[in-house]
Amino acid sequence: MSTSPGQASTKAADLSKVDNLDINLNLSSSTTSHSQTATPSSFSLNPKPHQMEPRTVIPIDKNWEFKQADKEDSKYLPVGQFPTNVHLDLLSHKLIPDPYIGKNENDVQWIGEAVWVYKTTFPSPKVGSSAKAVIAFDGLDTFATVVLNGKTILETENMFIPERVDVTADLKKDGGENELVITFDSAYLRGWKLVEKFPNHKWGCWNGDNSRLAVRKTQYHWGWDWGPTLLTCGPWRPINLEVYESWISDLWFDIDVDKSLKKATVTTHASTEGKASKVRFDISLNGTLVASQVVNAGSSNTFTISDPELWYPVRYGKQPLYTVTATLEEDGKEIDSISKKIGLRRAELVQRPLKGEPGTSFFFEVNGIPIFCGGSDWIPADNFIPRISRERYYDWVKLVAEGNQFMIRVWGGGIYEEQAFYDACDELGILVWQDFMFGCGNYPAWPELLDSIKREAEENIKLLRHHPSIVIYAGNNEDYQYAESVNLTWEQENKDAESWLKTDFPARYIYEKILPDACRKLTPSVYYHPGSPWGGVDTRDPTVGDIHQWNVWHGTQEKYQNFDKLVGRFVSEFGMEAFPSVKTIDAFLPLGKDDPDRYPQSSTIDFHNKADGHERRIALYLVENMRYAPDPLEQFVYCTQLMQAECLASAYRLWKRQWKGPGREYCSGALVWQINDCWPVTSWAICDYYLRPKHAYFTVKREMAPLSVGMTRREHTHPKNKYTRVDVEVRTQVEIWGSNLTLEDLTVDCLVKAWDVETGKQTYSETVNQEPLVLPKNQSTEIAAFDVPEPKKDEGVTAARTVVAAYLLSREDGRQLARYVNWPEPLKYLHLAQPAQLRADLSDDLATVSVSAEVPVKGVAVESEDDAVRFEDNLVDVVPGEVVKIKVRGATAATVVGTRYLGMV
């Protein structure tokens, strides 16, 4: 490999150094100088060119100990794992009770106000005279003072910024033992000191307290309306010692997929440090080399790939990932290497005028395919992040994918997630909406803090920008909404960024200056959105951008049957609470099934719900909709899950109806708050902390199926004159539509049946389309609207006791392709018949449960005591003459399948 003249002269200069000569003096010291004499027989003047050594990375993950720094009799104890945090280490020594059990959270609050210290020792590696040694701290939470061999080498105050420190001059020589000590101050107390330091800022927030706004630490540690207050600290991400002469500090890409989808260009960039002169870029797919090029260090290279294998969201195609490797070379020797996986896709956020409605669309298009983004919001999967395994991240994202969801939104009060999370999204085809880490408050903006936030944004964009799953960055969660709620100064038409810093809403500078500048510079192909929600005249404008629809549960506490009136172009938050699995409740009760607090209104179960007013709100939506009782616990939990399932399915069904095709994308997304929990709790999650799906998970899965049929019923009143209260005609109609999310037009028949809810007798069965019914691809289509069939009205079988089911059938062979059962509401008014022949039979091959009954049964849940038994559907409405088949995994010959349903108790 040739070198430039500059490199040659550098080599020549190096020959003056003793350690680059072949000296056969058998001397123990490597500092021998040229002035030492030697006999001709023992001294060779054959100069040996300096060979650059490869970069080495040595994890500093052994021998760590910790103790409370501000307690005199505290002694060092070994950590329980690494990376780690103080709660995990205290738990490993049983020095604190599990804060997830009972009310133990209260007993561990002192930890967040103490000072903690971690230390370890490690031997010095060999560091050549041309090399340097760097300690890389991937994440320190949060106010850390790092001391190496008695010298302070780093002070941090931002949990989200990885730090690198050159320690070449600070390491012990000749393999000596180094001592690394990290002291973590109380983020809570430091936060309050900063609040006091800036009294002129208009401090205020929802959830937690104002001290969190001053600290660049994950905000949910202060507690949220679904999570505990557990202010932990510690080395939460890896620490490594690197030794190198040259290295690749970053590898990134500019990817452009042509509109034709027939060609893609991939421009590869590698930042390097040191004298190594060449970089080789290799692109491979499934282990086969696609392209390769050697360039001078510091140069980029553009590859053109014809007929690329494109990355698609789940269900719309495959998720091929190309591996791009950059290898740093010198004299033909590999010095450093880094690999990243990329997906080739063309992703756009389309905001354009709509036909017949105000505002603009807000939908994501991937490889020319508009996507209705049904999905979920994501919070951290544990309060103690270092114990979330890579496998657990995959299990969570797999739940999302298997639940027919297309998008997950990383919420702004958590963390820039671990690589394993995004890797799972890349591999499983889940689109990611990525918030920056600001949420529900009025953040300050003093100069040093802005500098820290700029670094935070840039470092994390660099870590995330290669992931094809990420299709949007958003500046914050609900901070504009908070600003509106307390009337902070926010004049949208004022575009003078510097002036924003002088207002009582200075964080606008973060969301509309610092963050978009960072995105434009580092990831220009991904759309930046100033906040969530954002758009239109204010954050509640349903015609532009996204909205958070909390007028069911919060706000005006609307009926969930009216979600069609609460629609927006993209609803990025909405939700309803439900209790978790009884197994989960038994896990957090100190005495499990024998606990005296094992009833819904107990103080311990109440403690495991952090939402303000949750008792009133859960009770309101239960009492409005169904007959229920708090005992037994199992049936009460079931009723809350049925209520949540009905509520969320209503939202998906009614909003997806507004996905009406090109130019009529009136609603393009619905992200339920939330998919997951960070501890065992009653919350809005549709799967609990232990990844146990609540019943809403399955109703959402059905609504987001490739093909679904929707139905709603409306009561129409027609007074015979403008004064009468008596002479009024009342008609109840059903409206039926089909939602085809596939990429092919489908031709079907729509069969409608009806039954008397009290006797189970069928009262109607008709195919409602005369001609073949075409459901155009990737949109919802109206099918029919007609009065609820009432052939037995004279016998009292009115619409109010008539169950109506709609089926989409294949015109080729009559197969059922989709079904939906619509009930008179509220359900509490119904005189539900008790089934005498409700069956849930496990097939001989243990793969299917067949559910049937002789009367209409609302919300049949199949259950198993064995957690290994997983049902692929659940909470099904059963009508006479039909067998509903539910796939099951993990069943054995000994598996017992039980059932539960509305009106059972």
Side-chain angles (χ1 to χ4, degrees), residues 410 415-416 422 432-437 464 470 472-474:
V410 180
I415 62 170
Y416 305 95
Y422 303 100
V432 174
W433 173 311
Q434 177 69 51
D435 282 0
F436 284 93
M437 294 302 118
L464 302 183
I470 298 176
I472 183 173
Y473 288 96

Side-chain angles (χ1 to χ4, degrees), residues 560-792:
Y560 58 70
Q561 290 83 354
N562 297 336
F563 262 129
D564 54 345
K565 298 172 185 170
L566 305 172
V567 69
R569 297 290 174 246
F570 195 109
V571 186
S572 49
E573 278 191 25
F574 68 100
M576 175 58 67
E577 280 206 347
F579 275 57
S581 162
V582 172
K583 296 175 188 174
T584 297
I585 294 171
D586 288 340
F588 72 65
L589 289 171
L591 299 178
K593 290 184 177 181
D594 299 321
D595 200 288
D597 260 8
R598 196 178 185 269
Y599 61 95
Q601 297 143 307
S602 73
S603 65
T604 305
I605 288 180
D606 204 45
F607 187 82
H608 283 252
N609 187 337
K610 300 299 188 181
D612 284 344
H614 61 263
E615 306 96 333
R616 295 192 302 277
R617 289 178 167 88
I618 289 177
L620 167 68
Y621 285 100
L622 280 174
V623 81
E624 275 190 345
N625 287 287
M626 62 193 69
R627 286 186 278 175
Y628 73 98
D631 290 320
L633 175 65
E634 288 78 1
Q635 188 69 10
F636 180 81
V637 168
Y638 162 84
C639 285
T640 70
Q641 290 199 13
L642 171 62
M643 181 264 291
Q644 181 195 41
E646 290 283 294
C647 170
L648 301 184
S650 172
Y652 278 93
R653 185 164 55 252
L654 293 168
W655 292 341
K656 187 157 55 78
R657 185 185 189 183
Q658 298 303 310
W659 178 248
K660 291 182 177 289
R664 301 170 69 214
E665 303 93 348
Y666 303 130
C667 179
S668 309
L671 307 180
V672 65
W673 185 270
Q674 66 220 60
I675 182 67
N676 65 325
D677 276 326
C678 63
W679 75 314
V681 64
T682 295
S683 77
W684 298 273
I686 61 174
C687 300
D688 71 28
Y689 173 72
Y690 297 105
L691 290 92
R692 295 183 177 119
K694 299 179 188 177
H695 290 314
Y697 172 84
F698 299 104
T699 59
V700 169
K701 179 179 180 179
R702 289 199 293 271
E703 293 300 337
M704 283 301 300
L707 178 66
S708 62
V709 59
M711 193 187 321
T712 190
R713 65 173 77 192
R714 300 187 194 280
E715 192 175 87
H716 301 272
T717 58
H718 301 283
K720 290 299 169 64
N721 62 67
K722 65 180 180 180
Y723 298 115
T724 184
R725 294 177 299 160
V726 178
D727 199 0
V728 179
E729 180 190 18
V730 179
R731 296 170 59 192
T732 305
Q733 279 202 327
V734 288
E735 299 169 5
I736 304 171
W737 62 93
S739 294
N740 175 12
L741 294 182
T742 75
L743 300 181
E744 295 180 357
D745 295 351
L746 298 176
T747 304
V748 299
D749 286 325
C750 181
L751 173 66
V752 177
K753 294 183 178 183
W755 295 264
D756 177 1
V757 75
E758 296 184 17
T759 66
K761 289 182 179 176
Q762 185 170 308
T763 59
Y764 181 83
S765 179
E766 294 285 344
T767 298
V768 298
N769 57 296
Q770 312 254 307
E771 299 295 322
L773 177 61
V774 177
L775 299 179
K777 65 182 180 182
N778 203 8
Q779 67 183 65
S780 295
T781 303
E782 300 299 313
I783 294 175
F786 53 88
D787 290 350
V788 173
E790 297 176 300
K792 307 272 188 184

Side-chain angles (χ1 to χ4, degrees), residues 70 142 201 220 228 303 320 337 355 365 395 401 450 455 486-487 490 493 527 558 647 659 713 786 843 864 870 878:
D70 52 355
T142 292
H201 179 64
Y220 81 111
F303 297 91
S337 182
K355 296 174 185 173
E365 190 175 271
D395 288 344
L450 294 181
R455 274 193 71 205
V486 295
N487 298 312
W490 175 34
E493 61 278 4
Y527 182 79
E558 302 285 335
C647 170
W659 178 248
R713 65 173 77 192
F786 53 88
S843 61
S864 171
R870 306 291 289 215
V878 177

Side-chain angles (χ1 to χ4, degrees), residues 18-19 21-27 32-34 42-44:
V18 161
D19 58 350
L21 294 176
D22 188 7
I23 298 176
N24 300 318
L25 289 178
N26 197 23
L27 298 174
T32 308
S33 68
H34 284 203
S42 63
F43 186 84
S44 170

Side-chain angles (χ1 to χ4, degrees), residues 133 193 196 217 417 494 637 756 819 836 855:
K193 288 174 185 173
E196 291 173 354
K217 171 181 171 68
E417 272 296 349
N494 176 14
V637 168
D756 177 1
R819 76 188 285 270
V855 294

Side-chain angles (χ1 to χ4, degrees), residues 440-586:
C440 297
N442 184 23
Y443 283 84
W446 62 81
E448 295 82 5
L449 183 61
L450 294 181
D451 290 344
S452 181
I453 289 167
K454 182 174 184 286
R455 274 193 71 205
E456 170 191 324
E458 292 179 349
E459 292 296 334
N460 284 282
I461 291 170
K462 288 177 184 178
L463 288 171
L464 302 183
R465 59 183 167 178
H466 64 285
H467 291 286
S469 52
I470 298 176
V471 293
I472 183 173
Y473 288 96
N476 65 80
N477 171 78
E478 295 184 357
D479 289 356
Y480 287 101
Q481 210 157 44
Y482 177 83
E484 289 170 353
S485 75
V486 295
N487 298 312
L488 298 180
T489 304
W490 175 34
E491 298 169 356
Q492 283 199 46
E493 61 278 4
N494 176 14
K495 302 302 181 185
D496 177 9
E498 296 302 320
S499 72
W500 305 335
L501 292 169
K502 300 180 178 68
T503 69
D504 57 7
F505 182 37
R508 185 181 175 191
Y509 188 87
I510 299 170
Y511 315 138
E512 296 180 51
K513 176 64 177 161
I514 291 177
L515 301 180
D517 283 357
C519 287
R520 204 175 296 115
K521 171 184 169 187
L522 298 171
T523 181
S525 64
V526 178
Y527 182 79
Y528 175 81
H529 196 51
S532 182
W534 167 269
V537 295
D538 58 29
T539 60
R540 296 175 299 282
D541 186 342
T543 68
V544 179
D546 68 318
I547 62 168
H548 291 185
Q549 184 49 270
W550 281 110
N551 282 313
V552 171
W553 181 271
H554 288 301
T556 54
Q557 297 184 343
E558 302 285 335
K559 295 178 185 297
Y560 58 70
Q561 290 83 354
N562 297 336
F563 262 129
D564 54 345
K565 298 172 185 170
L566 305 172
V567 69
R569 297 290 174 246
F570 195 109
V571 186
S572 49
E573 278 191 25
F574 68 100
M576 175 58 67
E577 280 206 347
F579 275 57
S581 162
V582 172
K583 296 175 188 174
T584 297
I585 294 171
D586 288 340

